Amino acid sequence: MALLLPLSRSSSSPVRKMKAKESNYDPNIHRLPWYGGLVLLALVALCGTASYWSFFYLPPALTAADLAQQPLAFNGARAWDTLTHLDALGPKTTGSRANEVRAVEVLEREFSLINASHHPAQQVLYEKQIVSGQYGINFFGSQMTSVYRRVQNLIVKLVGAEDRHALMLNCHFDSVASSPGASDDCGSCAVMLEILRVLSRAPERSRHSIVFLFNGAEETPLQASHGFITGHRWAREVRAFLNLESAGSGGKELLFQSGPQHPWLIEAYSRAVRHPFGQAIGEEIFQSGLIPSDTDFRIFRDFGHVPGLDFAHIFNGYRYHTRYDSVQFLSPAVLQRTGDNILSMVRLLANGNQLANGDDGRSEGSMVFFDFLGLFFISYTAIEGTVLNIVVSIAGLVVGCWSVLAVVGWSNWRSMGREMLHGFVATLVGSGAGVGLNLATAYGIDRAVDRSMSWYSSCWLVVGLYCMPVMMLLFIAHREFHRLFSKSKTVLSLTLTVQARIVGVFLFWALLTIGATVYGLRSAYVIAIMLTLALFSMTLTALLKLQSFPGGYWLIIYLLVHSVALLWTTQFYHIFTNIFIPITGRSGANDNPDLIIGIVAAACTIFTTSFLVPLVNLLRKPYRTIGTLFVLFLAALALGTVSSIGFPYTGPGTSPSDAPKVQRILVQHTVRQFHEPNSTQTVRSTDAGYLFRLWDRHNERTVRDVLEKQSPGKGASALEPTELPECKREVFCGMPGSAIRFTSLWSPQSNRPHTPDMVKLSLDRWEAVRRNANGSSIKLTISLNGSFQSTILVRPRRNVRLTGWNLTPEVPVKLAAAGHKAYFLLITHGLAGEPVPLILDLETDRKSDTVEPLVDISVTSNFWEYHEHFTEEFSRFVASFPSWAHVVPAVTVVNVYTF
C-alpha cells in the first residue's frame, strides 16, 4: 500500500482500477485489543452457564393447598407422599419380602384409596398378575436365557368409552440391592399413581382405555414386563406405551427413545408437553450400546411389537443404583415436572385418534426431534431432515462466498477460495491436534501419575484439563495459518479474510453433516442447527452490506447470532458430561476413563468454539489469549494430579445438598462346592473367598488396601479368577455367574459364609435316546430346587453338543468370556414356587462304551439382601471400607456338578 501513496490522482485507468481493488486491504492487521480474546472466552462461559441452569430449572410443585383450586391437575405434593412410603421400605430386590409383600401392600392400599374416590362415571379395574416365563435375549453383548418364576405385576385399567384400544404407562417398583430406588423407579410409580388418581376423578371417561402397569421385576432384568406383554389379556389392547424410567437421580425426564417408526408419537409429544426435553441423538447413543443400561422399552418393542416413548431422568448418575437414590436427594418438583408432561400426553392420546389409527401409513418413518433449552420442541421426519441438512450445508457455502465476493468482485474467487481453504485446514489441523493432546494427557494422567478420574467429583476440572487445551490448539492453528500463508498483497481486507476463514469452518462442519446424513445418522441435526444459525448470520450481514469492519456492525451481528448458537452447542456439553462422567464409575476397570472423557470434551469444545476461533486474527497480541488458556490448563493439571481436589470420590455431607459421589464396591462372600461326578450330594472339594466386581479404574486399589488393613498380606493374595489353577478344568473357573462378564478379583478366605437354603440341583432322569457305535443321544432331566435368584452355566464337554432344551424353541448362542464358553441362564423367583425343570438333549460322537462326563453344570445362588446370614468377620470387613465407598455385600453359593 505504501508504494501507491506517491501516485497522483491523474494516474492511468488501470492503476486506478488496481487501487480500487487494493483499497480493501487493511494495513492494520490487529484491530481489536488483546483482551478481546478474553471477552470471547467470557461469552462462551456466559452462554454455557445459561444453558447449564436451564437443565436444572424445575417448575415448583403444587402443594396440598392447591388441591381445592386445581382438583384435576397433577399435584406433586400428593405424589411425593406416595414416594416417601415406597422409599421407606428400603431396597426392594425381586424375591425379597420388601418387594413381594410390603411394596405390593403399599401400592394396593393406594389403589383402594383411588377406587374409593373415583368419579361414578369412571370404571377402575385392578388385577394382580403372578407370571412365569422365559425368553432369550442378548444383554450388552452377552447371550443369555432369562427365566422368571412367579414374578408380580400390579395392573390397573381405567376403562375408556370405547374400550377397544389402550394406552399403557409402565414403571417398576423393584430396585437393585442396597438401593431404595427413589428415582429408579419408585418416583415414576408415584407419578403414575397420581395420574391415575387425577384421571379417575374426571367427570367423563376418556375415549380409549389406559392401562397402568406397575411391574415388580425390571432390575432382574426386564422380566416382569415380558410376562405382561406376552401373557396378559389386556396387553392385546395396548396400541402404544409410555415407559417411565431413570438412569440417574432426579432432574428433568429426557425423551430418549421413540417408535420404532410411528412418528405420530413424537408429533403427540410436540403438541402435548408443557416442558419439553428430548433429543434424537440420545436415542442413537443409547441404542448403540455406549450406555450400560436397558429399559422395558426394549421388551415392549421386541416382544410386544408395540410402539412407545421412553423417558428417563439422566442427571446425577452418581446416585443411580446406590443407597443415595433416596428421597433425601430428590424434591417434589421432580415429580411435578414429569407428572405435568406425562399427564398432558395421556390426555391427548387417550382422547385422540392416534391409538385407533396407529397401524395406518403414518406408522412408517423415523423422526428427528429436539428441544431448545426446554423453551420449545421441534420435530420433522428423517427424510425432511436429510433435505434440510444438505440444503443448509450447500446454502451456507454459497451465501458465505457471495457475502465476501460481493465486496471484492467475483473475479477474485481464487483469493476467496484460498482463504476458505485455510480456514478449513486450520480447523482440521487444530481439531486433530486437540484430540491428540487430550489422548496424550489422558494416557499420561492414567499411567504416569495414576490420577485418572480426577474430575469425577469435580466436574469443572474437565474444562481445564480437556477443553482449554483443545481451544488453545484451535487458536494456534488459525493464528499460525494466518501468519504463514497470508499474502502481504491481497484484495481481501483482514475482516473479509476472517469472514472467508469462517466459511472454511462452515465447510468443515458441512462435510461432517453431509457425511453423517449419508450414513443415515439422524443426529446430524445437531450440527445442522448450528449451521442454520451461521447461515442466518452470513445472510443478514450480506443483505445489510455490513461486511466491512470499520463500523464493527458485522462483528456485533455475528456475535449476537452466535450467542444463540452457543446456547445450542454448550447444552450438548452438559448433556454428554452429565451422562458419561457418572458412567465411568460403573463402566469397568479395563478402560482408561480419561480417554473417554477427553474425547467427549474435545468433540464438544470443537463443536462449541470453532466458529469463534477465526476471530483470533482480529486481536492484537493474540498469544496473550492463547497463553491464558495454557495457564488455565496447567492449573487444572496441577489441581487434578497433585492436590486433594483431584481425588475422585466424595462421601455424604452434613446436609442433603452435599450429594455424595461414591465409588461402587460389589463384594460377594462366596463358598464354592465341587461335586463328585454324577453326584448331587457328595462334595469332593470346597473353599471360600471374597469375590469383588471391579466397577471402575480404582476399584482394585481400594479393595487391596482394605484387604491389607484387615489382614496383612491379604491384599497381595487377591488375584484375578483366571489365575486360579482350577480355571483350566472348571466351567468359568468355578466362579459365580456375576464374575463372567466383568473384571473381577478373588481373595481366598478361611471363614465360610453362613449358607442359607440355596438352589440345589437334582438329577431326575438320565435317558439314552439312541446309542450305537458311532455315538449316542442322551436326555438329561434336572430339577432346580430353591426360590432364589440364581445363574446356571451349562457347558457340554468336548465332542458333545446341546441340540435342544425345554426353555426356548431354539438353543441360543453360547456365552464366551475369558477363554470359556457355556450356555448362560438367569433364573429369578418372585414369590416362592415349584422347582424349575431343565431338560437337556445332548448328542455325542463318542462310542457307546465311553464313560467320560458329558456336561458340566454350575449353579450360583445369590442372596443380595440377606444381612442376617453375614458372618461377624464379613460384616466388619464391609464396614471397614471408607465413607466414600458404596459397598453392595452379598452371600453367594456356587455348586459345580458333572454328569
Side-chain angles (χ1 to χ4, degrees), residues 15 53 122 133 169 335 338 357 522 527 535 556 558 578 610 662 729 770 780 796 834 849 851:
V15 175
W53 286 114
Q122 302 292 341
L169 278 71
L335 306 185
T338 303
N357 300 331
R522 286 175 293 142
I527 308 175
L535 171 60
I556 294 174
Y558 182 78
N578 271 278
S610 56
V662 296
R729 61 180 184 273
R770 175 180 57 81
L780 292 181
E834 299 297 321
D849 58 351
V851 293

Side-chain angles (χ1 to χ4, degrees), residues 99-117:
N99 189 69
E100 307 303 330
V101 178
R102 299 176 65 194
V104 170
E105 290 175 349
V106 170
L107 292 171
E108 288 185 330
R109 183 170 63 250
E110 293 291 333
F111 298 157
S112 298
L113 293 173
I114 290 172
N115 191 49
S117 63

Side-chain angles (χ1 to χ4, degrees), residues 853-898:
L854 297 175
V855 63
D856 298 310
I857 300 178
S858 174
V859 181
T860 300
S861 305
N862 295 309
F863 303 90
W864 298 110
E865 288 294 331
Y866 290 71
H867 295 266
E868 64 272 17
H869 295 301
F870 292 177
T871 64
E872 291 185 8
E873 185 174 349
F874 182 56
S875 296
R876 287 196 302 269
F877 176 71
V878 170
S880 67
F881 280 84
S883 62
W884 42 260
H886 169 70
V887 183
V888 183
V891 172
T892 299
V893 182
V894 181
N895 285 284
V896 181
Y897 307 90
T898 300

Side-chain angles (χ1 to χ4, degrees), residues 606-799:
I606 297 165
F607 181 56
T608 299
T609 63
S610 56
F611 274 98
L612 288 178
V613 170
L615 301 181
V616 70
N617 293 309
L618 294 175
L619 300 175
R620 298 189 184 98
K621 300 180 180 180
Y623 271 92
R624 289 191 177 183
T625 300
I626 295 169
T628 300
L629 293 172
F630 184 64
V631 169
L632 292 174
F633 165 61
L634 292 180
L637 190 62
L639 291 173
T641 56
V642 300
S643 76
S644 60
I645 293 176
F647 184 74
Y649 315 106
T650 59
T654 57
S655 68
S657 61
D658 297 330
K661 298 175 180 177
V662 296
Q663 183 184 58
R664 300 161 190 262
I665 306 286
L666 173 63
V667 53
Q668 296 170 258
H669 194 185
T670 304
V671 59
R672 304 190 300 166
Q673 301 180 138
F674 301 93
H675 293 255
E676 292 286 354
N678 298 319
S679 173
T680 60
Q681 301 297 325
T682 306
V683 177
R684 58 180 168 84
S685 66
T686 183
D687 65 2
Y690 296 155
L691 177 70
F692 303 90
R693 174 178 167 181
L694 304 183
W695 288 89
D696 73 19
R697 196 66 162 175
H698 302 296
N699 256 178
E700 182 172 350
R701 177 193 299 156
T702 303
V703 167
R704 290 189 185 276
D705 288 346
V706 175
L707 285 171
E708 190 69 28
K709 292 178 181 178
Q710 180 201 40
S711 301
K714 286 293 185 180
S717 68
L719 68 164
E720 294 183 10
T722 53
E723 300 176 23
L724 295 172
E726 61 268 27
C727 199
K728 294 182 179 180
R729 61 180 184 273
E730 304 294 351
V731 54
F732 282 104
C733 309
M735 286 289 112
S738 58
I740 293 171
R741 296 185 296 118
F742 308 101
T743 305
S744 302
L745 205 62
W746 173 259
S747 175
Q749 299 290 323
S750 58
N751 65 311
R752 290 168 54 105
H754 297 315
T755 53
D757 291 337
M758 65 193 80
V759 176
K760 297 180 180 179
L761 182 149
S762 62
L763 179 61
D764 297 336
R765 187 176 182 185
W766 176 303
E767 180 182 1
V769 179
R770 175 180 57 81
R771 178 174 293 176
N772 53 45
N774 296 323
S776 56
S777 296
I778 306 295
K779 183 185 292 292
L780 292 181
T781 302
I782 297 168
S783 292
L784 298 166
N785 304 279
S787 300
F788 304 100
Q789 292 190 24
S790 57
T791 57
I792 316 296
L793 296 166
V794 178
R795 182 182 69 177
R797 289 290 183 98
R798 186 177 180 184
N799 297 324

Side-chain angles (χ1 to χ4, degrees), residues 456-518:
Y456 189 70
S457 61
S458 302
C459 299
W460 51 269
L461 272 178
V462 174
V463 176
L465 280 174
Y466 295 119
C467 295
M468 294 298 181
V470 174
M471 197 183 310
M472 176 186 70
L473 289 176
L474 283 170
F475 275 135
I476 291 174
H478 274 266
R479 179 64 196 139
E480 290 305 305
F481 265 78
H482 182 83
R483 187 178 65 84
L484 295 174
F485 299 108
S486 292
K487 293 189 175 182
S488 59
K489 299 296 182 182
T490 176
V491 295
L492 298 180
S493 66
L494 177 63
T495 55
L496 293 178
T497 298
V498 170
Q499 290 174 50
R501 302 278 176 82
I502 291 173
V503 179
V505 176
F506 193 102
L507 174 62
F508 174 85
W509 290 110
L511 292 177
L512 287 178
T513 302
I514 293 174
T517 302
V518 171

